[in-house]
Amino acid sequence: MAKGSVFGGKAQGLRLERMAASRLFREGFFHNTTGVGSGLKPGTTFSTLGEFFRGGTARTPPGLLPTDSPLAAWTRPAETGLRATWLGHSTVLLEVDGLRVLTDPVWGERASPSAFMGPRRFQPMPVTLAELPPLDAVIVSHDHYDHLDHPTILELARTPVPFFTSLGVGAHLEAWGVPPERITELDWWESAEIGGGRITAAPSQHFSGRGLERNRTLWSSFVVEGPRHKVFFSGDTGLTEEYAEIRQRLGPFDLVMLEVGAWHPSWGDIHLGPENALQALELLGGGLLLPVHWGTFNLALHAWDEPAETLVRLGAERGTRLVMPRAGTAVEPSRVEGVDPWWRTVTRR
């Protein structure tokens, strides 16, 4: 199996023709429907760089974060039919009415094209890839390094699991050894069947790119639907009114997974952060919120635990039902009562 470049492959032939047919694809690039671009907001570059070099916040935890092993729980079916195991960042093992779906799997040491430089994970994953139960699907929302991880895909390529992803991202997967018949690329609002369930791609407000070029592949949120339950997964996104359309066309949801970390006002149009996540939840019709995209990599300028602390405070004020297990804890969301702020127990190494 060819390993391919860490930067992935380039779309060509029929794949490129299908991308070009998307309403989101113009002049060789994908675009947000809102017109939001991928860079910093105008006038914020120098202030953001200054904040980066000054430091001043605890951007990494003082010690290893507590994790649990889900292995025993995974041997038993979910009694309610819906179970979620947050494994770190945006990687969640979803069990939806008997279907096992893994979102944005990242087991690599760094969210970077380099094995020696770039954001390094705060602690190992709670389980190895080999310890995962048999999977029905892997979802890859877009091609950024903290969501599409080269070494992880190389391992998963050796298994029979099918991949569901955004337009164009399949070129990376093929370059890394995933057979094309196991890859389903979706435009927004397109669906694919999986074993009695359905996976649907939906809008998000973000960007893409692994090398110098940006936006040659699409970015999406995803809905996983079984016979009895529906789960929404944001991927990466800023706040967009398109979430109201997602609610109308695909909701309601039994569990909503929204990104809350790696946020800053300078790039607030392409990431949510805690406050905007709560607004997004409202647009989606409410429900149980499992925050993702935090507690694993230092990708922003805020303190590592700020997303969690802000979300708990604002959630209490607004009566939001939060599901915030430590990494590796398999939970049935409808049975979760309250939040145990486990991140406050971290002690120095």
Side-chain angles (χ1 to χ4, degrees):
M1 181 185 68
K3 289 186 177 180
S5 164
V6 68
F7 297 109
K10 290 188 176 182
Q12 55 188 340
L14 292 177
R15 173 175 283 117
L16 187 57
E17 289 182 20
R18 182 150 182 262
M19 292 162 54
S22 171
R23 68 184 179 91
L24 304 166
F25 193 82
R26 300 188 306 274
E27 299 178 347
F29 301 93
F30 286 100
H31 300 263
N32 288 305
T33 56
T34 56
V36 168
S38 57
L40 299 177
K41 291 182 178 180
T44 65
T45 300
F46 290 108
S47 62
T48 304
L49 285 173
E51 187 176 350
F52 172 79
F53 286 112
R54 285 194 304 272
T57 60
R59 295 173 187 167
T60 61
L64 294 177
L65 305 184
T67 61
D68 289 329
S69 172
L71 297 180
W74 286 347
T75 64
R76 304 183 298 270
E79 293 181 0
T80 62
L82 176 61
R83 184 163 59 199
T85 309
W86 179 59
L87 296 169
H89 204 54
S90 296
T91 304
V92 181
L93 179 63
L94 295 170
E95 296 171 89
V96 184
D97 301 329
L99 296 171
R100 292 194 184 103
V101 179
L102 187 67
T103 65
D104 286 355
V106 175
W107 264 257
E109 181 70 12
R110 295 182 185 274
S112 165
S114 170
F116 309 102
M117 299 176 62
R120 186 176 183 179
R121 64 170 55 251
F122 299 156
Q123 70 282 326
M125 290 288 267
V127 295
T128 66
L129 271 166
E131 291 176 314
L132 288 174
L135 300 173
D136 295 289
V138 169
I139 288 174
V140 178
S141 63
H142 64 295
D143 68 4
H144 284 155
Y145 296 106
D146 58 321
H147 296 261
L148 177 61
D149 181 52
H150 180 237
T152 300
I153 301 302
L154 292 180
E155 288 198 44
L156 289 173
R158 301 187 183 100
T159 75
V161 64
F163 288 78
F164 296 81
T165 189
S166 305
L167 289 178
V169 180
H172 301 320
L173 300 177
E174 278 194 52
W176 300 339
V178 180
E181 61 270 19
R182 282 171 42 204
I183 301 171
T184 300
E185 294 172 73
L186 300 172
D187 200 351
W188 292 357
W189 309 118
E190 290 183 339
S191 298
E193 303 292 327
I194 56 159
R198 181 190 300 266
I199 292 177
T200 303
S204 69
Q205 185 171 277
H206 198 56
F207 67 106
S208 65
R210 296 182 69 82
L212 296 178
E213 290 186 333
R214 290 185 172 184
N215 301 342
R216 296 288 190 178
T217 63
L218 185 57
W219 48 95
S220 308
S221 61
F222 283 86
V223 173
V224 179
E225 181 178 359
R228 295 171 48 212
H229 294 92
K230 281 186 194 176
V231 177
F232 177 81
F233 171 58
S234 69
D236 275 0
T237 184
L239 185 62
T240 167
E241 291 295 327
E242 289 166 304
Y243 271 27
E245 185 178 3
I246 293 173
R247 175 192 63 200
Q248 180 181 7
R249 296 176 64 164
L250 300 174
F253 304 107
D254 299 284
L255 181 66
V256 174
M257 302 189 300
L258 295 172
E259 57 130 297
V260 300
W263 178 86
H264 189 274
S266 296
W267 58 82
D269 290 333
I270 54 175
H271 280 293
L272 284 173
E275 186 167 1
N276 281 348
L278 292 176
Q279 293 186 50
L281 180 68
E282 183 176 347
L283 289 172
L284 288 166
L288 294 164
L289 172 60
L290 171 62
V292 297
H293 204 263
W294 77 283
T296 308
F297 297 105
N298 174 16
L299 299 173
L301 305 180
H302 55 66
W304 74 273
D305 58 350
E306 181 181 318
E309 291 291 350
T310 302
L311 191 61
V312 166
R313 175 175 56 82
L314 294 178
E317 294 173 358
R318 303 180 189 187
T320 307
R321 295 182 65 190
L322 297 173
V323 180
M324 299 181 68
R326 68 181 69 191
T329 303
V331 297
E332 299 192 38
S334 63
R335 293 183 171 178
V336 172
E337 297 182 4
V339 174
D340 174 19
W342 52 265
W343 55 90
R344 298 174 185 169
T345 68
V346 182
T347 57
R348 295 193 175 277
R349 293 182 176 90

